[in-house]
Amino acid sequence: MLKINDINVYYGNIHALKGVSLEINQGEIVTLIGANGAGKSTLLKTISGLLKPKNGEILFENEQVAGKVAQSIVKRGISQVPEGRRVFSNMSVEENLELGAYLRKDKKGIKEDFEKVYQLFPRLEERRKQQSGTLSGGEQQMLAMGRALMARPRLLLLDEPSMGLAPLLVKTIFRIIEEINQTGTTILLVEQNANMALSIADRAYVIETGKIVAAGTAAELSQSDQIRAAYLGGH
Ligand SMILES: Nc1ncnc2c1ncn2[C@@H]1O[C@H](COP(=O)(O)OP(=O)(O)O)[C@@H](O)[C@H]1O
Ligand SMILES: [Mg+2]
């Protein structure tokens, strides 16, 4: 579904992604794990068109999307849930969700997706008139995910959805990610919580200072001594 070939991304002189290649098959949950500053968000932003690679290819369903504007990438079926949620705090839950569908014209489909999102996140339905800035961190994460789903993506990019959440909520969010995947959405999940991410992923990549240093099935990486020592608390 997505094939990234040897991309390089720079912030001025900073070489943030160094020859990164990665593949995602339709239906998979793929996780990208790595320490703070490794280049995870940079990779997601490059896929979603917020950053442009200096060279290399990003093929989505065999079409080149590298360097295309973000809006056209959303239209093709890729949505991103940004790190730190970034909901519009002065707007209600419902208005934030409406914004997620702003490129769509199919009123009936939008209405169906509102119902789907409220089924997935009953908490959001209860709070649909509430100003988003007054939601808890977990609820804002749900809203950011719901908003991305309102674009009806076929590939969903999640940037550290568990960041700053209490353990019980982390479990809930991961369960919902699996549910979203089971309804047919392919997922690229960026996480520092490698244990949780590997527990739901089919395959994983490890990124260190802008380079992919390991790749394999989630089971393989969970059993690697090196990965355990560096990312899984050595257990
Ligand atoms: N806007 C920016 N300007 C300059 N450097 C940046 C910018 N954003 C990120 N970087 C740098 O690029 C590298 C990768 O950052 P990032 O992709 O945010 O890492 P991660 O998401 O894995 O924590 C880091 O060295 C970071 O300091
Ligand atoms: Mg990041």
Side-chain angles (χ1 to χ4, degrees):
M1 182 179 225
L2 188 81
K3 194 166 169 48
I4 299 180
N5 284 325
D6 202 15
I7 58 167
N8 287 283
V9 175
Y10 293 81
Y11 296 103
N13 291 329
I14 299 169
H15 194 177
L17 294 182
K18 302 168 186 160
V20 167
S21 298
L22 170 155
E23 275 180 39
I24 303 175
N25 302 304
Q26 184 156 3
E28 283 188 311
I29 299 181
V30 172
T31 184
L32 174 68
I33 57 186
N36 199 13
K40 303 181 300 298
S41 297
T42 302
L43 182 56
L44 288 199
K45 287 178 188 165
T46 307
I47 296 170
S48 59
L50 301 172
L51 293 170
K52 303 203 183 320
K54 186 168 181 210
N55 48 34
E57 293 182 316
I58 304 177
L59 301 172
F60 180 58
E61 296 172 334
N62 297 318
E63 275 189 77
Q64 179 69 251
V65 296
K68 293 251 180 327
V69 296
Q71 185 166 317
S72 91
I73 292 175
V74 174
K75 271 194 182 162
R76 282 162 202 259
I78 302 180
S79 299
Q80 185 179 356
V81 182
E83 186 177 327
R85 332 330 171 190
R86 301 191 185 273
V87 300
F88 296 98
S89 13
N90 295 326
M91 295 169 68
S92 70
V93 165
E94 199 169 65
E95 287 164 343
N96 268 276
L97 292 177
E98 264 164 27
L99 270 181
Y102 85 109
L103 291 172
R104 296 173 58 183
K105 305 219 156 49
D106 55 324
K107 286 227 167 73
K108 189 163 159 265
I110 294 172
K111 195 162 167 276
E112 282 167 17
D113 286 348
F114 256 108
E115 279 160 23
K116 277 192 200 155
V117 166
Y118 286 150
Q119 244 168 33
L120 218 44
F121 304 105
R123 201 76 85 82
L124 294 182
E125 182 164 29
E126 289 161 22
R127 288 162 171 67
R128 65 185 192 279
K129 299 289 178 199
Q130 190 171 322
Q131 201 174 319
S132 303
T134 65
L135 297 172
S136 72
E139 289 159 357
Q140 289 191 19
Q141 182 60 44
M142 292 174 189
L143 180 54
M145 288 167 70
R147 188 179 58 191
L149 289 174
M150 290 302 294
R152 205 177 265 196
R154 278 169 294 124
L155 174 62
L156 182 66
L157 312 175
L158 291 159
D159 197 348
E160 304 215 28
S162 77
M163 195 171 29
L165 302 184
L168 195 63
L169 258 173
V170 172
K171 273 197 170 163
T172 306
I173 293 290
F174 275 85
R175 179 181 51 72
I176 293 170
I177 293 170
E178 282 188 291
E179 234 175 286
I180 293 169
N181 176 247
Q182 279 153 16
T183 62
T185 310
T186 305
I187 289 176
L188 176 57
L189 169 66
V190 159
E191 265 297 338
Q192 280 190 52
N193 191 336
N195 274 308
M196 286 296 282
L198 288 171
S199 77
I200 67 163
D202 298 298
R203 289 189 304 112
Y205 291 85
V206 179
I207 186 168
E208 277 174 15
T209 56
K211 278 195 183 137
I212 301 290
V213 295
T217 65
E220 280 163 3
L221 292 192
S222 314
Q223 281 153 19
S224 139
D225 289 342
Q226 225 176 334
I227 302 299
R228 283 153 76 123
Y231 298 100
L232 303 174
H235 302 300

